[in-house]
Every structure is written in C-alpha cells, then in structure tokens.
Amino acid sequence: MESTIWLLVAYFAVLAVSLVYRRHTVRGPWLFLFRAFFPNWQFFHKVGPVPHLYVRYQGEAQPWSDWQWVYPRRQRQMLGVFHNPHGNLLLAQQNLVDHLSSDIKDLGEGADASPLVSYQMVCRLAAQAAREHIHQGLCQFELRLERPSPQGFSQSDTVLRSPEIAL
C-alpha cells in the first residue's frame, strides 16, 4: 500500500516537472511505429483549424461528384458508452488524418508527401470512402484545415489535394 502511494507521488512529480520544463517533441523512425497506439494530443496545444478529409469520385463516363466530408459526426447513443466499435473506428480514422496533417506540417512548404506512410494510408481511406458510392472509376481527396464556428466553418484552407486514384 505504501509503495503504491510513493509511485503515485513520483508519477505526479514527473508530470509537474514536465509541465514546467517543456521539451521538443520526441521524433525518430522507431518511435513512428508506436504512433498507432497513441492518439494525437496536439489539440491541447492551442485552438486552431481542424484537419478534415474530403473525397470526390468519378464513375466511368460520369462527371466528378461534389466534395464530400468523409467523417461527419455520428449521433450519440447510450449503448455507445459501453460498446462503440464504429465510433472507435471513426476516431482512429480521424486520428490518421490528424497525423497526416502533422506530417505535412513537419515536411515544410512544397515537399512531396506521397512517400509518407500516413499519406498512403489516407489514400486507401479515401478509396474506401469512394467505393461506398461507386465500384470502378477514380477518386481524389483533399486535406483541408477548417476553423469551426457556430454557423459551420468560418475558414477553410486546402493543405493537400491528391492526384486521381484509380479504384
């Protein structure tokens, strides 16, 4: 019992020290593999635009569809407190979009994002979203930083537009 109390005190001491002494984000090729286990906590740093994924698609001999927001919010249900696999999947997919936005920001202006693992995974995510509407054709996705407001989105900036992706 006493060792548990000391562990808790040590834990909170480490938290307090980490709040006072801010360090740079830890980065490295091996740490990248652990990103799937941890959510993107950058939304705590400051309030700002939120990355959203938009997809459009084109069937054979058809015009391009309008841009569609891939992950709008779902209605909450009481059962979701105990069992929510679809909501967890949507959260993981939005986390992937957040990671792509962070990776693009780290790359810098004008750099090619196509070799990034997060970019390739978002390409597959966009193709999956387009396959819900058509089975063959093309799709394309946009990553937009949007600033939410009570009336919708007050500002929308396109960060990345993919080339056409064959389904």
Side-chain angles (χ1 to χ4, degrees), residues 56-59 62-67 137-140 163-165:
R56 70 178 183 168
Y57 49 88
Q58 178 185 32
Q62 294 178 352
W64 283 98
S65 68
D66 293 332
W67 289 103
L138 301 171
C139 76
Q140 191 176 24
E164 297 172 354
I165 302 167

Side-chain angles (χ1 to χ4, degrees), residues 13-86:
V14 168
L15 283 179
V17 169
S18 69
L19 288 174
V20 173
Y21 296 106
R22 296 190 183 261
R23 296 176 32 191
H24 297 288
T25 304
V26 178
R27 298 196 185 278
W30 291 104
L31 292 175
F32 182 80
L33 298 175
F34 291 109
R35 288 173 67 177
F37 298 108
F38 302 104
N40 189 352
W41 294 102
Q42 290 186 358
F43 58 84
F44 285 126
H45 293 286
K46 62 181 179 180
V47 177
V50 178
H52 287 152
L53 181 66
Y54 286 83
V55 173
R56 70 178 183 168
Y57 49 88
Q58 178 185 32
E60 294 177 5
Q62 294 178 352
W64 283 98
S65 68
D66 293 332
W67 289 103
Q68 296 177 2
W69 186 18
V70 176
Y71 305 112
R73 294 196 181 265
R74 286 180 38 130
Q75 291 284 42
R76 294 184 185 191
Q77 299 174 351
M78 190 58 159
L79 180 62
V81 173
F82 304 105
H83 182 69
N84 192 10
H86 188 67

Side-chain angles (χ1 to χ4, degrees), residues 126-137:
Q128 177 186 356
R131 280 190 197 101
E132 293 177 5
H133 302 283
I134 61 170
H135 295 291
Q136 290 186 350

